[in-house]
Amino acid sequence: MESLKRIAAINDISGLGKCSLTVALPVISATGVECSVIPTALLSTHTGVFSGWTLEDLSDQILPIANHWHEINAHFDGIFTGYLANPAQGDLIRKTIELLRTADTKVIVDPAMADNGRYYSNLDERMTRCFRNLFQDADIVTPNFTEACFLAGMDYVEGPVSVSYVEKIIDRILELGPSTVVVTSVSLEENNIGMLSKERGSNRVYQAMAHELTGMFHGAGDVFASSFSALLIRGAKLSDATEIAMRFTSDSIGRTAERGTPRHYGLDFESALPAYVQEVDRYFNT
């Protein structure tokens, strides 16, 4: 039997509106990977659509947690980072990675800061500089198309876009340090959306696309990134991890639309978990 892998998930906790750690914990666990957490902030809700949300910055807890884990020799097969409450947390995360990383640790950075051509509430271009620095320590990064444009210093354009334009964006991000870039929420043609990825030293751009439902589905990026990260850490190939995570995300989006769940409350990924667990089990045991 394979050994149980462990991920350190560094992200915020939004009490209502499924995203960040309230997605990462169940999805990573369902993938068969242990999920340990370092919360970057505590929010009453996420910052999209909801108003009047509360935010408690947990910057002063990040390094003490990391130092304790280091002192007890906790081993992590993966480090997965997401939303940061402020740009200064980038330096804290880099120090955390230095403390927890070993030769076989994969570092995956999801630069959660923007979507649909604009920054999330309370964030600005300082977060782009923060994540560019953090990418120096990353093996794999998973920006959405908006974030990728900002990070690459290229213009955000409404889709559909060409593969060559996305590849140019990816190549610029590869220059920042990561060995693999996966850009999500890319539209190459009407009514389709998906992911494009490329590894350093490769001339191939891998595509995984699905039918697009209209409108905004909050938390979709977190569902994908959590599944994708856990699959990679468990040992899936990049292309397989992308395909499986995208199917799970697409299934969750479809169930959300069918039920008429308010979009800002997050995806109905819970009802998609049983089929996802079965697919993961088949993948790793056949």
Side-chain angles (χ1 to χ4, degrees):
M1 182 177 293
E2 65 178 304
S3 61
L4 182 65
K5 305 293 187 181
R6 180 185 295 128
I7 284 179
I10 307 171
N11 214 327
D12 75 278
I13 299 174
S14 291
L16 181 68
K18 291 170 285 186
C19 65
S20 307
L21 287 180
T22 59
V23 166
L25 269 166
V27 171
I28 290 173
S29 298
T31 313
V33 176
E34 179 183 337
C35 184
S36 304
V37 303
I38 298 180
T40 58
L42 174 63
L43 295 92
S44 55
T45 68
H46 63 70
T47 62
V49 180
F50 290 107
S51 61
W53 39 268
T54 65
L55 186 153
E56 180 69 23
D57 188 312
L58 299 178
S59 295
D60 61 347
Q61 296 300 309
I62 294 173
L63 283 182
I65 294 172
N67 274 310
H68 181 220
W69 289 355
H70 176 71
E71 289 167 2
I72 63 175
N73 296 315
H75 175 74
F76 296 93
D77 302 281
I79 299 171
F80 167 43
T81 78
Y83 179 88
L84 306 183
N86 60 70
Q89 286 190 342
D91 290 334
L92 298 176
I93 304 308
R94 296 193 71 181
K95 291 176 182 176
T96 296
I97 292 170
E98 183 180 357
L99 282 167
L100 301 181
R101 187 180 218 163
T102 59
D104 61 349
T105 305
K106 285 188 175 73
V107 176
I108 303 164
V109 176
D110 182 24
M113 63 176 179
D115 203 359
N116 294 317
R118 60 183 183 274
Y119 287 98
Y120 294 149
S121 180
N122 223 34
L123 302 181
D124 55 32
E125 66 279 355
R126 291 175 297 170
M127 290 306 300
T128 293
R129 295 194 292 271
C130 165
F131 280 115
R132 282 175 178 163
N133 289 332
L134 188 52
F135 278 12
Q136 296 177 52
D137 297 320
D139 296 305
I140 303 151
V141 298
T142 60
N144 63 35
F145 182 68
T146 295
E147 293 158 348
C149 290
F150 291 174
L151 289 158
M154 294 180 63
D155 292 335
Y156 169 81
V157 293
E158 295 285 347
V161 295
S162 66
V163 172
S164 61
Y165 190 73
V166 182
E167 184 173 13
K168 187 174 181 180
I169 291 171
I170 290 175
D171 286 341
R172 288 195 180 184
I173 295 175
L174 284 169
E175 292 174 359
L176 298 175
S179 58
T180 303
V181 176
V182 180
V183 181
T184 66
S185 304
V186 177
S187 173
L188 300 178
E189 58 185 17
E190 294 291 345
N191 301 318
N192 278 295
I193 195 164
M195 293 80 180
L196 271 68
S197 63
K198 185 178 180 181
E199 298 176 272
R200 182 186 303 280
S202 172
N203 292 321
R204 183 189 178 198
V205 177
Y206 178 79
Q207 300 179 31
M209 311 302 291
H211 177 70
E212 180 182 17
L213 294 176
T214 59
M216 178 76 171
F217 289 87
H218 291 270
D222 291 311
V223 171
F224 172 82
S226 298
S227 169
F228 172 76
S229 298
L231 288 163
L232 280 183
I233 297 308
R234 194 165 169 188
K237 294 190 299 184
L238 175 66
S239 58
D240 294 338
T242 303
E243 289 277 6
I244 295 170
M246 192 180 73
R247 280 196 293 272
F248 173 48
T249 306
S250 181
D251 188 14
S252 300
I253 289 172
R255 291 169 185 267
T256 305
E258 288 172 9
R259 285 180 168 173
T261 302
R263 304 286 179 85
H264 57 301
Y265 277 82
L267 299 190
D268 289 355
F269 69 87
E270 295 91 344
S271 60
L273 278 176
Y276 171 68
V277 170
Q278 290 179 351
E279 181 172 14
V280 171
D281 185 64
R282 286 194 301 271
Y283 178 81
F284 287 106
N285 293 290
T286 56

